[in-house]
Amino acid sequence: MDRKLARKKGARRRSPEQDAKTPRIRFGEQMREFLHRNMNWFLVAGFALLLLQDIFGTHGVLAMRRTQLQAKEVQQEIERLNEENRKLQNRVQHLKSDPATLEGIARDEMHLKRPGEYVFPIQPKPSPQPSETLKKP
């Protein structure tokens, strides 16, 4: 406390004998005063750090939002795969129960024929190139 008064009054220079006579403030007391004076700033800084951690941290708001979007995408993929699976199961059921479907696949994909039938394969015309269509007058 004496130091503060001395600073305010003009801070006269003291001789080394006068410095030896004045009681020195211990480090612990100085630290306690420093913490007491600046406690509000430490609390504000700590609160700001916690707020930043809650927003940008590993388990913060942004990470949670990103995880929710990923979960939504995975759920949509699961629904798409379930629909595809249902269609394939219907096709398997048709193949097992409908002889006309099985015969159509055998003729189209495996190029099979019944006894006594003749198959005349016809090659499709190649589609014209874009450059060829422009050159025709």
Side-chain angles (χ1 to χ4, degrees):
M1 293 290 195
D2 293 330
R3 286 184 176 177
K4 289 181 184 178
L5 292 175
R7 286 184 198 151
K8 289 182 181 178
K9 290 183 178 179
R12 292 184 260 158
R13 291 281 177 188
R14 296 183 189 176
S15 65
E17 298 93 27
Q18 286 177 340
D19 281 342
K21 291 179 186 176
T22 59
R24 293 202 166 232
I25 299 175
R26 288 190 236 151
F27 177 74
E29 292 174 4
Q30 287 178 347
M31 185 59 82
R32 192 176 309 117
E33 281 183 30
F34 175 77
L35 290 174
H36 183 69
R37 276 182 277 141
N38 297 312
M39 185 57 68
N40 289 338
W41 291 111
F42 289 133
L43 290 174
V44 167
F47 180 73
L49 288 174
L50 287 174
L51 186 65
L52 288 173
Q53 176 67 21
D54 282 346
I55 293 173
F56 300 107
T58 306
H59 302 289
V61 174
L62 295 179
M64 183 177 64
R65 181 68 179 144
R66 190 177 327 116
T67 304
Q68 287 174 344
L69 289 175
Q70 289 174 347
K72 187 177 180 181
E73 289 173 1
V74 168
Q75 185 64 34
Q76 289 173 349
E77 180 70 14
I78 288 171
E79 290 173 6
R80 186 189 65 77
L81 290 173
N82 283 338
E83 180 66 23
E84 182 180 342
N85 191 19
R86 188 186 59 76
K87 287 178 182 178
L88 290 173
Q89 286 176 346
N90 285 340
R91 182 175 166 118
V92 167
Q93 187 64 32
H94 282 295
L95 290 174
K96 286 181 177 179
S97 62
D98 188 16
T101 305
L102 192 59
E103 181 181 348
I105 291 175
R107 288 177 177 273
D108 294 338
E109 294 179 11
M110 303 174 132
H111 306 292
L112 297 178
K113 59 181 179 151
R114 286 187 175 175
E117 285 185 336
Y118 295 103
V119 177
F120 300 101
I122 300 173
Q123 298 294 328
K125 287 186 176 181
S127 61
Q129 297 297 329
S131 60
E132 291 176 9
T133 57
L134 295 175
K135 290 180 182 178
K136 290 183 179 180

mmCIF file of all heavy atoms in Angstrom, residues 125-134 136:
data_model
loop_
_atom_site.group_PDB
_atom_site.id
_atom_site.type_symbol
_atom_site.label_atom_id
_atom_site.label_comp_id
_atom_site.label_asym_id
_atom_site.label_seq_id
_atom_site.Cartn_x
_atom_site.Cartn_y
_atom_site.Cartn_z
ATOM 1 N N LYS A 125 -28.152 -49.664 -86.289
ATOM 2 C CA LYS A 125 -27.346 -48.657 -86.979
ATOM 3 C C LYS A 125 -26.586 -47.841 -85.945
ATOM 4 O O LYS A 125 -27.149 -47.484 -84.908
ATOM 5 C CB LYS A 125 -28.239 -47.720 -87.790
ATOM 6 C CG LYS A 125 -28.806 -48.324 -89.028
ATOM 7 C CD LYS A 125 -29.538 -47.255 -89.802
ATOM 8 C CE LYS A 125 -30.040 -47.800 -91.123
ATOM 9 N NZ LYS A 125 -30.730 -46.767 -91.885
ATOM 10 N N PRO A 126 -25.325 -47.527 -86.257
ATOM 11 C CA PRO A 126 -24.596 -46.671 -85.310
ATOM 12 C C PRO A 126 -25.182 -45.262 -85.339
ATOM 13 O O PRO A 126 -25.582 -44.762 -86.391
ATOM 14 C CB PRO A 126 -23.153 -46.685 -85.823
ATOM 15 C CG PRO A 126 -23.242 -47.112 -87.242
ATOM 16 C CD PRO A 126 -24.488 -47.942 -87.373
ATOM 17 N N SER A 127 -25.231 -44.649 -84.201
ATOM 18 C CA SER A 127 -25.788 -43.296 -84.147
ATOM 19 C C SER A 127 -24.805 -42.332 -84.801
ATOM 20 O O SER A 127 -23.591 -42.482 -84.685
ATOM 21 C CB SER A 127 -26.049 -42.884 -82.700
ATOM 22 O OG SER A 127 -24.832 -42.890 -81.986
ATOM 23 N N PRO A 128 -25.301 -41.345 -85.536
ATOM 24 C CA PRO A 128 -24.405 -40.418 -86.239
ATOM 25 C C PRO A 128 -23.623 -39.571 -85.237
ATOM 26 O O PRO A 128 -24.124 -39.188 -84.193
ATOM 27 C CB PRO A 128 -25.347 -39.555 -87.073
ATOM 28 C CG PRO A 128 -26.672 -39.668 -86.402
ATOM 29 C CD PRO A 128 -26.692 -41.016 -85.738
ATOM 30 N N GLN A 129 -22.366 -39.279 -85.603
ATOM 31 C CA GLN A 129 -21.524 -38.437 -84.781
ATOM 32 C C GLN A 129 -21.990 -36.998 -84.904
ATOM 33 O O GLN A 129 -22.516 -36.604 -85.945
ATOM 34 C CB GLN A 129 -20.075 -38.566 -85.249
ATOM 35 C CG GLN A 129 -19.479 -39.941 -85.121
ATOM 36 C CD GLN A 129 -19.400 -40.396 -83.660
ATOM 37 O OE1 GLN A 129 -19.240 -39.586 -82.781
ATOM 38 N NE2 GLN A 129 -19.539 -41.698 -83.423
ATOM 39 N N PRO A 130 -21.789 -36.186 -83.896
ATOM 40 C CA PRO A 130 -22.218 -34.779 -83.967
ATOM 41 C C PRO A 130 -21.552 -34.029 -85.106
ATOM 42 O O PRO A 130 -22.164 -33.159 -85.714
ATOM 43 C CB PRO A 130 -21.812 -34.198 -82.614
ATOM 44 C CG PRO A 130 -21.641 -35.360 -81.718
ATOM 45 C CD PRO A 130 -21.284 -36.519 -82.589
ATOM 46 N N SER A 131 -20.329 -34.366 -85.455
ATOM 47 C CA SER A 131 -19.636 -33.657 -86.548
ATOM 48 C C SER A 131 -20.261 -34.004 -87.900
ATOM 49 O O SER A 131 -20.282 -33.177 -88.808
ATOM 50 C CB SER A 131 -18.153 -33.995 -86.534
ATOM 51 O OG SER A 131 -17.980 -35.397 -86.707
ATOM 52 N N GLU A 132 -20.792 -35.248 -88.047
ATOM 53 C CA GLU A 132 -21.406 -35.652 -89.304
ATOM 54 C C GLU A 132 -22.730 -34.932 -89.536
ATOM 55 O O GLU A 132 -23.080 -34.603 -90.658
ATOM 56 C CB GLU A 132 -21.639 -37.173 -89.314
ATOM 57 C CG GLU A 132 -20.361 -37.989 -89.367
ATOM 58 C CD GLU A 132 -20.642 -39.476 -89.272
ATOM 59 O OE1 GLU A 132 -21.836 -39.847 -89.334
ATOM 60 O OE2 GLU A 132 -19.705 -40.245 -89.144
ATOM 61 N N THR A 133 -23.469 -34.680 -88.497
ATOM 62 C CA THR A 133 -24.757 -34.022 -88.658
ATOM 63 C C THR A 133 -24.579 -32.559 -89.017
ATOM 64 O O THR A 133 -25.411 -31.981 -89.708
ATOM 65 C CB THR A 133 -25.598 -34.120 -87.365
ATOM 66 O OG1 THR A 133 -24.848 -33.560 -86.300
ATOM 67 C CG2 THR A 133 -25.945 -35.557 -87.077
ATOM 68 N N LEU A 134 -23.485 -31.952 -88.628
ATOM 69 C CA LEU A 134 -23.243 -30.558 -88.961
ATOM 70 C C LEU A 134 -22.767 -30.374 -90.393
ATOM 71 O O LEU A 134 -22.999 -29.344 -91.016
ATOM 72 C CB LEU A 134 -22.202 -29.953 -87.999
ATOM 73 C CG LEU A 134 -22.616 -29.853 -86.520
ATOM 74 C CD1 LEU A 134 -21.446 -29.354 -85.693
ATOM 75 C CD2 LEU A 134 -23.808 -28.952 -86.378
ATOM 76 N N LYS A 136 -23.699 -32.057 -93.088
ATOM 77 C CA LYS A 136 -24.722 -32.278 -94.112
ATOM 78 C C LYS A 136 -25.397 -30.951 -94.439
ATOM 79 O O LYS A 136 -25.797 -30.207 -93.540
ATOM 80 C CB LYS A 136 -25.766 -33.270 -93.626
ATOM 81 C CG LYS A 136 -25.225 -34.673 -93.516
ATOM 82 C CD LYS A 136 -26.315 -35.620 -93.095
ATOM 83 C CE LYS A 136 -25.773 -37.041 -93.008
ATOM 84 N NZ LYS A 136 -26.805 -37.983 -92.604
#
